[in-house]
Amino acid sequence: MGERLYIGIDLGTYQSTIASSAGAMQTIETVVGKPKDPVARNMLGKDVLFGAEALSKKLACNIYRPMAAGVAQDDEANLAAAKAFVSHLIEVADPEDYDEVFGVICSPSHITFTDKSNLVATLRGQVNAIMVVSEPFATGFDHDQYMGAVVVDVGAGTTDVARLYGTFPNEDDEFTVAEAGDWLDLQLMDMIEKKYTGAQLTKDMVRAWKEEFSYVGGNDEECMVELSVEGKKNVVDVGDIIREGCEMLIPYIVGAIKAIIATADPEYQPQFRNNIILSGGGSMIEGIAEMVADQLADIGDVRVWCVDNPIESVASGALKLANVMPDDQYTAIN
Ligand SMILES: Nc1ncnc2c1ncn2[C@@H]1O[C@H](COP(=O)(O)OP(=O)(O)OP(=O)(O)O)[C@@H](O)[C@H]1O
Ligand SMILES: [Mg+2]
């Protein structure tokens, strides 16, 4: 048998990461742009753009976010965009240098079974065998914490929580809530529009402010941003809104953690309460672990901590799993 490459892929609603056994590690926004017309095609000099490059040319392109919640995965244009995106992501790992490629894949939890067969179709031809696992499990595995932990992945499309006790989690061990980063962006946008009547906002602007300033707890912090009101430049402080919006997300996270612990084997519950791990982009909200711990105080003493590599930990855990899993755990797809 020839040389085999292992890859771990975190296919995310907002951004995706690939890690390979040859040392590749790259994150790309899950965005595909196709030139709108021949003028745009001529200017851009290519038929398809990905990630940040696509976003920077968004007015000249039709923009697809093929993994976003609510995107019909059987829509031909989105499916083609998904395929192009996944191919582009895998190319980062130079698969053509190897005889075979084995991959562990995490895809957004809102992708249903029919969509998963599309996912397989998308990977076919580039990956020989795959294993699909959840984001919280991959993160727990990355940190050697799968023996007794609750992992909460606060992503863009969903917040996924799982209890881990040394085996693959089954359906009952995992739980998804719809309130996550994208939901928070909409709340913030709505609050800013109410306070600054006529403010001209896009979701991307609001998300960028959130990523720069996000925090919960303590006193209001100053967060100065520039926005247009009917074409006129305004510089305003959105610090109070950022805090209020971010704090609105916390009860959903806390509710999910309580539910997953309450339904666990009672002998394991103390261990779960003592090891609650936050990951995903949302775990970068300043002060989040303290506030989650405070709001969990009524279920007893808890320990809540954030991973230090929230953007890469899913792909890195998937790669770690890929390396150690026996071949019979993989499904051949070619
Ligand atoms: N500093 C930050 N503070 C708050 N939110 C942040 C910060 N940095 C990134 N985010 C948000 O985290 C989300 C992206 O996180 P992540 O990459 O884990 O999501 P994803 O994997 O693409 O989504 P999903 O797992 O739901 O498919 C986005 O909503 C992004 O705005
Ligand atoms: Mg994710």
Side-chain angles (χ1 to χ4, degrees):
M1 186 178 288
E3 230 192 319
R4 182 187 289 177
L5 180 73
Y6 289 103
I7 56 176
I9 293 185
D10 173 13
L11 216 46
T13 302
Y14 174 58
Q15 56 199 359
S16 298
T17 302
I18 185 163
S20 84
S21 50
M25 174 69 85
Q26 194 163 324
T27 299
I28 305 172
E29 276 177 68
T30 315
V31 179
V32 178
K34 301 216 169 139
K36 275 182 185 163
D37 61 20
V39 175
R41 166 69 187 77
N42 203 36
M43 185 229 352
L44 296 169
K46 37 183 114 160
D47 294 316
V48 54
L49 291 77
F50 301 99
E53 190 186 13
L55 287 177
S56 72
K57 302 286 187 312
K58 70 177 186 181
L59 294 184
C61 290
N62 291 316
I63 294 289
Y64 301 92
R65 290 186 179 273
M67 297 293 151
V71 169
Q73 301 290 314
D74 52 3
D75 163 323
E76 232 169 83
N78 271 298
L79 198 54
K83 279 192 177 161
F85 181 82
V86 171
S87 303
H88 176 71
L89 190 68
I90 294 176
E91 273 162 28
V92 167
D94 297 321
E96 65 285 354
D97 296 349
Y98 295 83
D99 298 314
E100 54 180 9
V101 181
F102 276 41
V104 172
I105 320 288
C106 301
S107 66
S109 57
H110 60 78
I111 304 253
T112 62
F113 180 72
T114 28
D115 306 325
K116 289 237 162 73
S117 53
N118 283 335
L119 185 70
V120 170
T122 302
L123 293 160
R124 189 168 285 136
Q126 299 201 73
V127 181
N128 303 83
I130 62 165
M131 207 180 121
V132 177
V133 301
S134 72
E135 291 169 282
F137 180 67
T139 295
F141 200 78
D142 187 37
H143 290 82
D144 295 321
Q145 297 291 336
Y146 52 96
M147 292 302 292
V150 168
V151 180
V152 189
D153 182 293
V154 187
T158 53
T159 294
D160 299 307
V161 48
R163 51 179 186 239
L164 308 178
Y165 45 87
T167 64
F168 281 118
N170 59 44
E171 261 175 38
D172 299 338
D173 298 320
E174 299 187 317
F175 196 86
T176 294
V177 291
E179 288 77 14
D182 288 342
W183 174 88
L184 176 54
D185 296 342
L186 290 177
Q187 307 305 310
L188 292 171
M189 192 160 162
D190 191 48
M191 289 158 81
I192 298 171
E193 278 167 347
K194 285 208 173 98
K195 183 160 174 189
Y196 301 101
T197 317
Q200 296 171 290
L201 304 173
T202 66
K203 258 196 82 181
D204 290 332
M205 288 162 66
V206 175
R207 175 170 48 228
W209 297 336
K210 174 194 73 177
E211 291 176 4
E212 184 176 351
F213 297 116
S214 69
Y215 72 106
V216 293
N219 298 320
D220 283 353
E221 290 173 12
E222 189 181 75
C223 308
M224 302 306 293
V225 303
E226 190 182 308
L227 51 79
S228 293
V229 177
E230 285 157 11
K232 183 166 168 274
K233 175 180 160 177
N234 272 253
V235 177
V236 300
D237 180 4
V238 294
D240 53 339
I241 293 176
I242 296 275
R243 183 171 80 135
E244 200 183 319
C246 291
E247 289 182 357
M248 283 162 58
L249 183 58
I250 308 297
Y252 294 101
I253 296 172
V254 168
I257 296 171
K258 282 185 177 171
I260 210 80
I261 294 178
T263 52
D265 183 312
E267 290 177 29
Y268 281 76
Q269 292 186 13
Q271 212 174 326
F272 291 141
R273 284 194 293 268
N274 194 40
N275 196 16
I276 297 164
I277 305 169
L278 306 182
S279 69
S283 70
M284 290 192 282
I285 296 175
E286 197 190 299
I288 190 169
E290 294 75 12
M291 186 163 276
V292 167
D294 282 349
Q295 293 188 18
L296 284 170
D298 57 340
I299 63 167
D301 285 342
V302 295
R303 184 170 66 100
V304 183
W305 55 282
C306 297
V307 300
D308 58 9
N309 58 341
I311 300 305
E312 291 174 351
S313 79
V314 172
S316 146
L319 174 62
K320 203 165 157 183
L321 259 171
N323 278 313
V324 301
M325 283 297 121
D327 284 5
D328 63 13
Q329 289 294 310
Y330 287 90
T331 307
I333 60 167
N334 58 351

